[in-house]
Amino acid sequence: MSGIIRFSKGSQELRYLCDSDRELCKLINLIGEYELSLDINYFEALVKKIISQQLSVKAASTICNRVISLCGNINPDVILRIPESDLREAGVSKLKISYIKGLSLKIVSGELDLSKLPSKEDSEVIYLLTDIKGIGQWTAEMFLIFSLGRPNILSMGDVGLKRAFQWLYQKESGNLKISDYYEIWNPYNTIASLYLWEAVNRDYVIKFSSIDEL
């Protein structure tokens, strides 16, 4: 599987979303072509997601980089060999250490085979991953998007997505219903989400009261 997915202005996905949603189309035209580099080292991706839970982007990046330096190559065998004290010194919490070591044990024992996940349906991937302690719905959804490149994932509980949605559609927080848009964006909910996240990443949501100011 290719590690890069590109959406150009004339692509089928973007044309479909523009035809379906006028407001989203404004954002798509503003941002233009989008390129997503998939994290195809599945184990490392999951470890990073677990470490990043409930942390700021900056703090998560710092700790993940320390763990990478500590491990060299993040794989289940290495994680199991590294003393908990070293991981704690790198900034990983005791609870998260238990999660990533538990994940490692499942893989080493053969209970979980990450290489088989690309051939499974979205719902089955979520089921298999959320069965692992420390991996919830959000983490499984992020794995589907950023590692498997699935095109129709809408993470309705994602805080950043909610912020961007509220900004783009000028919705009050009490009236936020991202779920209402699932069928509008279907079968390209992932692509819609990526463009909404990009509005946050580029600080549009902070700097401008609405997309019409841009």
Side-chain angles (χ1 to χ4, degrees):
M1 181 181 62
S2 172
I4 298 177
I5 299 176
R6 291 184 180 89
F7 306 109
S8 61
K9 189 173 182 180
S11 68
Q12 172 186 326
E13 298 92 342
L14 297 190
R15 289 200 313 270
Y16 178 91
L17 288 171
C18 276
D19 289 343
S20 303
D21 186 338
R22 185 177 65 180
E23 293 303 310
L24 182 63
C25 190
K26 292 180 185 178
L27 183 60
I28 289 171
N29 288 332
L30 178 66
I31 292 170
E33 181 172 305
Y34 188 96
E35 182 176 288
L36 174 64
S37 297
L38 298 179
D39 193 345
I40 56 177
N41 184 329
Y42 299 153
F43 177 75
E44 182 175 311
L46 287 171
V47 169
K48 287 179 179 177
K49 291 288 188 299
I50 292 171
I51 290 172
S52 301
Q53 290 169 3
Q54 297 179 320
L55 294 177
S56 69
V57 172
K58 184 177 180 180
S61 178
T62 298
I63 295 172
C64 286
N65 287 335
R66 287 175 187 164
V67 172
I68 290 170
S69 297
L70 180 63
C71 295
N73 179 22
I74 297 181
N75 63 62
D77 293 318
V78 170
I79 290 292
L80 289 173
R81 286 199 304 268
I82 291 180
E84 181 177 324
S85 57
D86 289 352
L87 289 168
R88 290 284 289 125
E89 191 172 336
V92 186
S93 71
K94 187 173 182 179
L95 188 59
K96 289 178 181 178
I97 291 170
S98 72
Y99 293 158
I100 62 176
K101 284 188 177 287
L103 171 63
S104 302
L105 282 171
K106 283 184 178 288
I107 293 170
V108 169
S109 69
E111 186 177 342
L112 176 65
D113 186 348
L114 295 179
S115 68
K116 292 183 178 179
L117 294 183
S119 65
K120 298 186 182 301
E121 297 292 330
D122 295 345
S123 58
E124 190 173 2
V125 173
I126 290 174
Y127 174 79
L128 289 169
L129 291 181
T130 55
D131 192 47
I132 300 166
K133 195 169 184 180
I135 296 181
Q137 180 79 15
W138 179 85
T139 301
E141 289 167 344
M142 295 304 105
F143 182 81
L144 283 166
I145 293 172
F146 294 105
S147 286
L148 298 187
R150 298 296 171 85
N152 201 30
I153 304 300
L154 182 60
S155 186
M156 298 179 195
D158 185 86
V159 175
L161 199 58
K162 287 181 178 180
R163 286 179 61 207
F165 180 87
Q166 182 178 358
W167 171 78
L168 181 62
Y169 298 97
Q170 296 293 291
K171 302 288 187 182
E172 296 298 329
S173 59
N175 296 323
L176 274 178
K177 291 184 180 179
I178 297 178
S179 58
D180 291 345
Y181 281 73
Y182 182 87
E183 289 303 328
I184 295 173
W185 299 333
N186 182 53
Y188 300 122
N189 277 277
T190 292
I191 295 94
S193 299
L194 291 170
Y195 275 87
L196 285 165
W197 277 319
E198 193 64 14
V200 175
N201 295 339
R202 296 189 183 195
D203 289 334
Y204 295 159
V205 173
I206 293 174
K207 294 179 179 178
F208 304 96
S209 62
S210 75
I211 193 169
D212 293 325
E213 288 188 7
L214 285 151

